[in-house]
């Protein structure tokens, strides 16, 4: 729904200086030189190289930050290497040295180890036959979109569309020597697209294998299994000399001295082997006192009075604490300690779980993740000595369950998807398969799904001037087969069903948070596949926001007004949705009358008016905080995608809108409780206000009785939380009750003499929710 007219609203782009990349480089250098972990240092060293490339490429003019074509000489469809913040290094993700699979393919073909030569080979009859065979068997992988290009050429040739194949080759040929256009071989076709997983079996196996021994646990087990029993032997030896509790009351005989010498010799042997526990070496410890006194007697020297006093105290203490060795109390204690020491360590069980994982395919998830964390079997006891029946500890179970391959809904139900951001990482596989249903040919459908999954790994660029990210349909190999897409029917129904399902899972699972941009991009693909015009809007970056909006923001606000006109939401935020509807209709009359230029002018004016409205509602602030306040007002007017998904896609959480509102308020309370621990607090306030806004949206879709019940329960819920939550939220709750009862705020967002306040996330000054915290400036 973005038009060219919308794009013309933007003034000249601001210059993006080198400060951010230089700061990231400095941080990476510090980590690479000072961090204690070698793996962390190695990763930081790679980041150092990337940020140096960003600065070098930018300074030389090879990279233009903020453009859709940031790398000189590369068209927009080439996947650039993108680092944090959307900056590019100047390299292509499909570039660099040839990979092992490419070198092997060149060797098999008998051509030089050169990408252009390999490209040429795959255009021969023999090469096309190889690609066609991979297409039919599905035994290939596409990790960057470019790796789908030659497979598409092969499909077009087999389909008899040589013209489209030649056009595609014309687009690819200038980069044949630079980029990887050949697919990666795979042992088996892609897994079931209805299942997804957070981590592969290989990733989980590496994480499990990296579990280190716990020094404290190892020392404790050594103390229980070795040094405590040895201390008992020392104590029993000394008690042989005792009468009425006094040691050396009986004179030891030669046999006693001989056994004492043997004990001392065994101590030296034990100390040489068992080095994890050092307690027995401390001179003040009871065991060391007994051992030192024994060494004196064995050497023929009787302890002096002071040493004898220490010896008596040590013996008395040990007997009083645990009983005499061999007594019922002492025996029961040592049996319990021996059982603890005999338990397998987490490290040993991790090694067992890693063995179980090693026999599975490493590049995907597994539906058998639960079975991998079952108790030790009899066979495993024979192989590795761990006691049969020993349970795998919960921390290890949680790691292994990261590889569980199951429907997304199942992963959510089991608590394996902790945030909407993680959900966004999981949906591309499902969306790719759904979007690919538009291709009737099975081989092309599988290729389109693989390309979509790879394209979703493409990181977003830092863009200015309201430019949009590159879309999958802009890739030359996707355009080349666009004519072979079906229309409507099964694929459209599947896209709509998946859109509704994912939208409901996101809102139900995370009712208090904004839908993240990657998830919105997937939902947009599904909406397009379903033939729905759903104006989904991404969260805007504050630091590069230029005060302008594209037309779909106005469209989304109109949809919100159709849904929420006259509701609690409209009254609480003081919105005139009727006026927005009039603004959204601008240009329609001109289009109907066949005057497209006049319609475009009206559309531009309407979108400009929407931006002015947001700035007016934000109070006209400038700079970082001003941008944030304007963006928040746009989110308020549009409901940031909630209204569009409800009104146009028909989503509804399974537990109902009232429960969604309650969960939002619980999140508001939890976030507010953080403020007393967060001296800055700006992001916490923002997130709390976002959750509050989501609550108001959900409340507005409730019936009157449900709405009143939820509002009435907010005070009790706030009182359950620590950190002065009820006091901090009192003005917001007073404002909610006021509007729910039919009242309204003044122009400054307060009522009842300031006791009631409208809760917003952004403020040009210190926020009232942060009262009693040190005043801090806006970040940035």
């Amino acid at each position: 729904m973005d038009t060219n007219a919308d794009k013309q609203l933007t003034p000249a782009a601001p210059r993006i200086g080198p400060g951010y990349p230089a700061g990231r480089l400095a941080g990476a250098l510090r980590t690479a030189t000072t961090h204690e972990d070698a793996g962390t240092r190695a990763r930081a060293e790679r980041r150092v190289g990337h940020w140096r490339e960003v600065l070098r490429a930018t300074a030389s003019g090879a990279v233009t930050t903020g453009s859709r074509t940031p790398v000189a000489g590369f068209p927009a469809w080439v996947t650039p290497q993108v680092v944090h913040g959307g900056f590019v290094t100047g390299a292509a993700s499909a570039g660099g040295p040839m990979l092992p699979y490419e070198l092997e393919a060149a060797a098999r073909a008998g051509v030089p180890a050169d990408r252009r030569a390999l490209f040429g080979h795959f255009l021969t009859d023999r090469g096309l036959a190889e690609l066609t065979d991979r297409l039919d068997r599905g035994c290939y992988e596409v990790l960057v979109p470019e790796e789908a290009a030659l497979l598409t050429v092969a499909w077009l040739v087999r389909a008899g569309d040589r013209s489209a194949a030649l056009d595609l080759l014309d687009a690819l040929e200038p980069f044949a020597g630079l980029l990887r256009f050949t697919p990666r071989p795979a042992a088996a076709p892609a897994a079931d697209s209805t299942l997804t997983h957070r981590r592969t079996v290989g990733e989980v196996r590496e994480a499990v294998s990296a579990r280190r021994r716990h020094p404290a646990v190892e020392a404790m087990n050594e103390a229980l299994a070795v040094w405590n029993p040895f201390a008992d032997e020392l104590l029993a030896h000394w008690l042989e000399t005792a009468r009425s509790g006094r040691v050396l009351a009986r004179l030891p005989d030669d046999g006693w001295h001989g056994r004492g010498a043997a004990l001392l010799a065994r101590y030296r042997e034990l100390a040489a082997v068992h080095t994890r526990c050092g307690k027995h070496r401390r001179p003040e410890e009871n065991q060391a006192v007994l051992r030192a006194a024994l060494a004196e007697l064995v050497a023929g020297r009787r302890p002096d009075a002071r040493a004898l006093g220490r010896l008596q105290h040590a013996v008395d203490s040990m007997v009083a604490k645990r009983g005499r060795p061999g007594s019922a109390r002492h025996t029961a204690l040592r049996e319990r300690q021996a059982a603890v020491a005999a338990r397998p360590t987490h490290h040993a069980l991790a090694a067992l779980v890693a063995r179980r994982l090693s026999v599975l395919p490493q590049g995907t998830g597994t539906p058998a993740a639960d079975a991998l964390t079952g108790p030790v079997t009899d066979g495993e006891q024979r192989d590795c000595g761990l006691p049969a029946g020993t349970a795998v500890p919960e921390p290890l179970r949680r790691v292994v369950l990261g590889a569980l391959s199951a429907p997304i809904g199942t992963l959510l139900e089991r608590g394996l998807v902790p945030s909407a951001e993680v959900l966004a990482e999981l949906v591309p596989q499902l969306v790719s398969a759904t979007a690919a249903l538009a291709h009737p040919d099975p081989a092309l459908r599988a290729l389109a799904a693989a390309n979509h999954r790879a394209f979703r790994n493409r990181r977003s660029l830092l863009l200015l001037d309201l430019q949009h990210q590159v879309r999958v349909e802009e890739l030359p190999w996707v355009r080349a087969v666009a004519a072979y897409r079906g229309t409507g029917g099964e694929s459209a129904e599947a896209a709509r069903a998946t859109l509704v399902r994912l939208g409901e899972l996101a809102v139900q699972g995370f009712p208090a948070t904004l839908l993240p941009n990657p998830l919105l991009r997937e939902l947009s693909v599904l909406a397009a596949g379903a033939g729905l015009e759903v104006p989904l809007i991404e969260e805007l970056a504050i630091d590069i926001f230029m005060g302008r909006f594209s037309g779909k923001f106005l469209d989304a606000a109109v949809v919100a007004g159709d849904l929420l006109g006259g509701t609690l939401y409209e009254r609480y935020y003081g919105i005139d949705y009727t006026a927005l509807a009039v603004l959204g209709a601008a240009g329609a009359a001109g289009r109907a009358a066949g005057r497209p230029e006049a319609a475009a002018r009206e559309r531009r004016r309407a979108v400009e008016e929407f931006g002015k409205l947001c700035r007016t509602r934000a109070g006209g602030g400038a700079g970082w905080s001003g941008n944030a306040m304007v963006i928040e007002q746009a989110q308020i007017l549009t409901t940031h995608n909630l209204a569009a998904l409800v009104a146009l896609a028909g989503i509804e959480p399974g537990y109902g809108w009232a429960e969604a509102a309650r969960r939002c308020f619980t999140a508001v309370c939890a976030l507010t409780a953080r403020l007393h621990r967060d001296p800055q607090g700006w992001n916490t306030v923002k997130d709390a206000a976002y959750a509050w806004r989501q609550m108001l949206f959900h409340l507005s879709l409730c019936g009157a009785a449900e709405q009143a019940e939820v509002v009435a329960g907010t005070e009790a819920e706030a009182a359950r939380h620590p950190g002065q939550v009820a006091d901090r939220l009192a003005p917001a709750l007073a404002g909610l009750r006021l509007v729910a009862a039919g009242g309204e705020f003044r122009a400054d967002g307060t009522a009842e003499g300031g006791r009631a306040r409208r809760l917003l996330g952004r403020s040009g000054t210190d926020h009232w929710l942060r009262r009693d915290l040190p005043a801090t400036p806006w970040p940035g």
Side-chain angles (χ1 to χ4, degrees), residues 658-678:
E659 179 59 22
R662 291 188 188 95
R663 296 188 182 199
C664 286
F665 185 69
T666 299
V668 171
C669 293
L671 287 163
T672 305
R674 290 184 195 171
L675 285 174
H676 74 286
R677 303 190 305 270
D678 183 357

Side-chain angles (χ1 to χ4, degrees), residues 560-580:
D562 290 341
L563 179 68
L564 298 173
T567 66
L568 173 68
Y569 189 95
E570 182 183 42
R571 298 196 310 275
Y572 183 89
Y573 288 112
I575 305 169
D576 185 351
Y577 273 130
T578 301
L580 276 170

Side-chain angles (χ1 to χ4, degrees), residues 17-35:
Y20 182 85
R24 299 293 297 194
L25 172 60
L29 278 169
R30 282 194 300 273
T31 303
T33 55
T34 63
H35 202 280

Side-chain angles (χ1 to χ4, degrees), residues 22 52-53 59 84 122 188 217 242 250 264 275 318 342 345 374 385 483 622 627 671:
R52 280 177 172 159
E53 284 302 306
H84 193 276
F122 280 116
V217 172
R250 294 191 183 98
L264 294 173
T275 59
M318 294 171 76
T345 63
N627 282 353
L671 287 163

Side-chain angles (χ1 to χ4, degrees), residues 69-400:
T69 53
V71 183
F74 282 166
W77 56 262
V78 172
T79 307
Q81 186 182 69
V82 182
V83 295
H84 193 276
F87 290 84
V88 298
T89 66
S93 292
M98 292 183 74
L99 299 184
Y101 84 88
E102 295 178 283
L103 296 172
E104 292 171 9
R108 284 198 312 272
V111 299
D114 172 82
R115 282 207 174 106
R116 185 169 291 279
L118 190 60
F119 184 87
H121 160 71
F122 280 116
L123 300 182
T124 65
D125 290 343
R126 178 185 165 196
L128 287 170
E130 181 181 340
L131 291 173
T132 302
D133 177 64
R134 290 189 193 176
L135 271 173
D136 290 339
R137 292 188 297 115
C139 293
Y140 59 86
E141 287 184 313
V142 176
L143 299 190
V144 292
E146 285 83 346
E147 294 169 0
L150 282 175
L151 283 173
T152 307
V153 171
W155 189 90
L156 288 167
V157 170
R158 184 172 67 177
D161 195 344
R162 291 186 173 271
S163 175
L166 290 172
D167 288 343
L168 174 55
L169 288 171
D170 285 343
L172 303 179
E173 195 280 332
F175 310 99
L178 296 173
L179 305 179
R180 250 181 353 262
F181 291 127
T182 55
R184 301 164 186 253
D192 184 353
S193 62
T194 64
L195 307 179
T196 189
H197 52 273
R198 285 195 63 187
R199 307 172 78 181
T200 66
V201 168
E203 290 169 341
V204 167
R205 182 176 60 82
E206 288 182 9
V208 168
S209 300
R211 288 287 173 119
R212 299 175 179 175
R213 295 180 183 274
H214 197 299
V217 172
E218 300 280 346
M220 179 194 74
N221 286 341
E222 183 179 277
L224 296 179
V226 177
W227 297 115
N228 284 0
F230 183 76
D232 294 340
E233 291 184 59
L234 278 174
L235 176 60
H237 192 64
W238 275 110
L239 287 175
E240 291 180 23
T241 71
R243 180 183 293 122
S244 300
R246 302 298 299 174
V247 295
L248 288 179
R250 294 191 183 98
L251 293 178
D253 56 22
D254 291 341
W256 187 91
H257 282 84
R259 293 194 304 277
L263 276 174
L264 294 173
R266 194 150 65 82
Y267 169 78
R268 290 189 291 272
E269 293 172 0
L270 291 174
V273 175
H274 301 285
T275 59
R276 294 187 177 92
C277 177
K279 185 177 179 180
H280 60 91
R281 299 188 186 93
R282 300 172 192 161
E284 70 277 9
E285 292 292 331
N286 289 335
Q287 181 184 154
V289 171
L290 266 60
R291 194 176 65 250
L294 180 61
E296 288 293 298
L297 272 181
V298 168
R301 296 184 294 271
R302 184 176 179 85
D304 59 24
R306 187 173 181 182
L308 188 59
R310 287 199 301 270
L311 172 63
Q312 187 67 56
H313 177 77
V315 170
D316 292 345
S317 298
M318 294 171 76
V319 171
K321 186 173 183 180
R322 287 176 286 271
R324 295 175 67 93
S327 68
R329 179 162 69 99
H330 185 279
T331 300
L333 172 65
R334 291 309 191 210
E335 286 177 351
R336 290 195 300 272
Q337 291 177 338
V340 170
R343 284 197 309 233
T345 63
H346 286 202
H347 177 266
L349 289 167
L352 172 65
V353 172
R355 282 184 53 193
R356 293 174 176 178
L357 290 162
S358 66
V359 300
L360 299 176
Q362 301 294 293
T364 185
T366 173
D370 287 301
L372 292 167
T373 58
V376 177
T377 66
D378 292 336
E380 289 168 335
Q381 179 177 7
R382 289 191 296 271
D383 291 341
C384 52
L386 297 174
T390 303
V392 172
E394 186 58 28
L396 274 178
R397 284 193 73 255
R398 288 197 297 270
V399 174
V400 176

Side-chain angles (χ1 to χ4, degrees), residues 193-199 365-370 398 400-419 422-427 429-430 501-502 505 509-510:
S193 62
T194 64
L195 307 179
T196 189
H197 52 273
R198 285 195 63 187
R199 307 172 78 181
T366 173
D370 287 301
R398 288 197 297 270
V400 176
L401 286 177
L404 176 64
S405 185
I408 289 178
T410 300
L411 299 184
L412 276 164
E413 289 168 4
R414 298 194 61 174
L416 299 175
V417 184
S419 67
V422 172
L423 177 63
E425 295 172 4
L426 299 179
V427 299
Q429 183 171 336
L430 178 60
R501 177 62 174 151
L502 289 180
L505 285 175
F510 313 101

Side-chain angles (χ1 to χ4, degrees), residues 79 92 94 219 252 317 361 389 402 452 487 498 572 627 689 693 695 708 729 732-733:
T79 307
S317 298
H452 181 95
T487 55
T498 306
Y572 183 89
N627 282 353
R693 186 177 74 233
M695 176 192 72
L729 288 177
L733 291 175

